[in-house]
Amino acid sequence: MASMMICTTTAGLLTGCDSKKEATTANSGTDTAATAPSDDMSVGILIPGSKTDKGWMESGYQGITDAQKEFGNKLKTQIIENINYADMDQAITTLASKNEMVIGVGGQTQASMFKVAKKFPQVKFVVIGGNQEPNMPANVAGYDVKQSEIFFVAGAAAAMLSKTGTISYVGGMEIPAIVNAGTEYANGAHYINPQIKVITNYTGDFEDVTKAHEATLAAIAQGADIHSYIVNLGTKGIEQAAKEKGTHIIGGYTDRCDDKNPLYLAYSTTGVGYQVEYAIEQLDKGTWQAGYKPFGLAMGPKSSGFRICNGTAEMNQKIEQIEKDLVDGKIKVAEG
């Protein structure tokens, strides 16, 4: 079994962190579920990738940090990060045995979360990036970030920004949520320019920098000058390729606009951290509910939004109208 990093935090302070070979024996702090007072909260969080990936995982970790600031000593968290897919069941089992809520930061955790949740019916499970599934266990909530929605907007922006009439999308694992986002990215681009060419590649790995770099170079060789993506550490490979060839990127999760280094021309906000904090707030209020819950543009700018860094008034107006039409249901996109 590959090693994993397991940390326990209290009130935003790291109180224990250890690397263990066996997830079943890893415990970096007090058994919070067994010893915490009844008004305390114990939450386990699985971050499959790196919490410093400048993307999805880092946004999720920021949500944990914000929640710890909000709740102080009342909140105890146990975090496992950088986990191999083969070890995911065991990592979630470790968290479920020690906490009253387990949060999986990423749709790639969903299958394992469903499996483990059935063994711990008293624990609340939350999948950030979850899909609506008919076989969802009764103690699991799936929070849909609605990436398809915001990637439709990103595709529209890419079409407006492209000078070559060719754009690209790089996804990690070829799972429904990632495929749907790529499809809607293309649909958004064609909404603006029916003739635009969209090159789509899946690397099979959210973290592989080399594969993302190669996929982006291949798209650039076919004329792509604007790139969008759903990868984690793989983002570094996309950045490398764009820098080498003088092309540009539409980023995600955080503000990417930098006038001194205009590698990124636009960015979307996908509130992964917002949803982590939301789940913990619902646990605190006693209002947490299992089942599917959509977020996206309708939940406001902390949940989802888009900005072109130096967009013209016409571009900005068009983006705002597309966002409104998505919320109003005038533009239909895939779920997930």
Side-chain angles (χ1 to χ4, degrees):
M1 179 175 289
S3 63
M4 62 190 75
M5 193 59 67
I6 306 179
C7 302
T8 299
T9 57
T10 303
L13 300 175
L14 189 66
T15 59
C17 195
D18 197 4
S19 180
K20 296 290 186 184
K21 293 293 182 182
E22 294 293 336
T24 52
T25 61
N27 184 9
S28 59
T30 304
D31 184 337
T32 53
T35 62
S38 59
D39 61 344
D40 281 4
M41 295 182 289
S42 58
V43 179
I45 303 100
L46 177 61
I47 300 176
S50 169
K51 66 177 183 288
T52 59
D53 68 350
K54 303 298 182 185
W56 179 287
M57 302 298 164
E58 186 165 331
S59 176
Y61 183 71
Q62 185 61 51
I64 301 165
T65 301
D66 291 343
Q68 287 172 336
K69 291 177 182 177
E70 178 180 356
F71 293 107
N73 290 331
K74 184 175 184 179
L75 175 63
K76 312 295 188 299
T77 61
Q78 184 181 21
I79 303 167
I80 298 178
E81 64 169 317
N82 284 323
I83 187 74
N84 293 331
Y85 295 109
D87 300 329
M88 204 168 286
D89 289 6
Q90 197 64 64
I92 295 169
T93 299
T94 295
L95 295 173
S97 66
K98 302 293 182 183
N99 298 282
E100 59 185 303
M101 173 179 277
V102 176
I103 301 174
V105 183
Q108 65 268 48
T109 70
Q110 180 162 291
S112 291
M113 292 280 277
F114 281 16
K115 186 188 301 184
V116 177
K118 295 173 183 178
K119 301 175 183 177
F120 293 88
Q122 78 284 2
V123 176
K124 299 173 175 65
F125 292 81
V126 178
V127 181
I128 307 297
N131 296 324
Q132 190 167 15
E133 296 284 351
N135 62 339
M136 184 177 289
N139 57 330
V140 176
Y143 291 175
D144 185 354
V145 300
K146 297 189 78 66
Q147 287 185 119
S148 293
E149 188 180 72
I150 202 62
F151 269 85
F152 185 98
V153 182
M160 287 188 274
L161 292 166
S162 177
K163 297 186 181 345
T164 65
T166 301
I167 61 176
S168 77
Y169 169 83
V170 177
M173 291 181 66
E174 201 167 348
I175 57 179
I178 309 305
V179 173
N180 288 346
T183 298
E184 295 303 342
Y185 177 72
N187 288 341
H190 291 132
Y191 184 83
I192 297 296
N193 176 7
Q195 304 305 316
I196 199 165
K197 182 179 179 181
V198 184
I199 301 167
T200 300
N201 285 294
Y202 297 94
T203 65
D205 192 320
F206 292 110
E207 315 301 333
D208 195 308
V209 174
T210 300
K211 288 181 179 179
H213 179 253
E214 291 172 349
T216 305
L217 286 178
I220 292 171
Q222 297 176 69
D225 64 342
I226 303 292
H227 319 291
S228 193
Y229 59 87
I230 301 182
V231 291
N232 298 327
L233 284 178
T235 303
K236 294 181 179 180
I238 297 170
E239 290 178 338
Q240 289 171 8
K243 288 175 182 176
E244 290 167 14
K245 301 298 183 180
T247 57
H248 297 281
I249 305 172
I250 292 177
Y253 311 108
T254 58
D255 188 341
R256 301 285 186 162
C257 296
D258 183 352
D259 290 336
K260 295 180 181 179
N261 181 25
L263 180 64
Y264 287 87
L265 297 185
Y267 69 93
S268 62
T269 300
T270 305
V272 179
Y274 169 75
Q275 291 176 50
V276 170
E277 192 172 8
Y278 177 90
I280 296 171
E281 288 174 346
Q282 295 301 299
L283 177 65
D284 175 62
K285 295 176 182 176
T287 56
W288 181 87
Q289 292 183 330
Y292 171 79
K293 180 174 178 59
F295 282 74
L297 290 165
M299 290 287 284
K302 287 186 177 181
S303 173
S304 186
F306 195 88
R307 178 190 169 198
I308 299 177
C309 298
N310 293 298
T312 64
E314 182 180 1
M315 287 179 177
N316 294 336
Q317 184 178 14
K318 188 66 177 176
I319 292 298
E320 289 175 7
Q321 187 61 53
I322 290 171
E323 289 181 334
K324 184 176 186 303
D325 288 346
L326 283 162
V327 172
D328 293 343
K330 294 180 181 179
I331 298 175
K332 304 288 187 182
V333 296
E335 292 294 333

